[in-house]
Amino acid sequence: MLVAYFSCSGVTKKVSAALADSVGADLYEIAPREPYSAADLNWMDQKSRSTLEMNDPKARPAIAAAVPNMAEYDVVFVGFPIWWYVAPRIIETFLESYDFSGKIVVPFCTSGGSGLGGCDSKLHANCSTATAWRPGRL
Ligand SMILES: Cc1cc2nc3c(=O)[nH]c(=O)nc-3n(C[C@H](O)[C@H](O)[C@H](O)COP(=O)(O)O)c2cc1C
């Protein structure tokens, strides 16, 4: 099992480490090639990087390093913070980067209060080859 996570302020990172520890999974950080600065994360700024990316359905921020051995995992947990009620675009980069055939994918999120909302079915479309898709909220 693999717990793959994206986290900018550490909340999802902490949850992911606890999850990996409790289920005995490997841990992998979906690290952006270009890290997000505090200014990039300012959702009050209409021109900030996160706002521009979330306004662009085609945005696919690059990931620093690939999972070296994805073929070895049967279950892949995918953790992320909710941005503007959905998953950050980099999660779409991640889901589109691998063949999830035969795997169970379990998305989970942290947020200030919002749930997975509409991004669950949307994300599933990004990795439609997965054998099973079991969303959960931590
Ligand atoms: C750009 C941006 C947009 C966000 N949008 C939402 C939102 O729509 N709903 C919500 O409840 N929280 C929102 N948040 C808060 C984060 O989801 C929350 O703080 C999360 O736990 C952060 O996880 P992290 O520390 O792993 O990055 C947003 C945060 C950022 C930076």
Side-chain angles (χ1 to χ4, degrees):
M1 289 188 283
L2 177 71
V3 176
Y5 71 91
F6 170 63
S7 180
C8 285
S9 53
V11 178
T12 314
K13 178 178 184 170
K14 201 171 161 195
V15 170
S16 300
L19 173 62
D21 192 43
S22 67
V23 301
D26 292 342
L27 195 57
Y28 160 82
E29 180 177 6
I30 302 171
R33 188 176 295 160
E34 191 187 325
Y36 288 84
S37 66
D40 289 340
L41 298 172
N42 183 2
W43 62 82
M44 306 289 280
D45 179 358
Q46 296 192 337
K47 296 239 161 52
S48 75
R49 178 182 169 194
S50 59
T51 306
L52 294 177
E53 286 178 1
M54 297 313 285
N55 280 338
D56 177 6
K58 293 205 173 82
R60 294 293 183 272
I63 294 171
V67 177
N69 51 345
M70 185 60 102
E72 293 172 18
Y73 297 107
D74 301 318
V75 180
V76 181
F77 294 86
V78 183
F80 51 86
I82 292 289
W83 282 8
W84 291 105
Y85 310 103
V86 293
R89 296 283 174 220
I90 198 167
I91 296 303
E92 295 179 73
T93 310
F94 177 78
L95 292 175
E96 290 169 1
S97 297
Y98 301 93
D99 178 2
F100 290 93
S101 305
K103 301 186 194 301
I104 295 171
V105 180
V106 188
F108 65 95
C109 67
T110 70
S111 77
S114 306
L116 272 171
C119 78
D120 173 31
S121 52
K122 192 172 166 293
L123 289 181
H124 193 181
N126 287 125
C127 68
S128 53
T129 53
T131 298
W133 178 264
R134 294 181 183 153
R137 179 159 180 253
L138 302 178

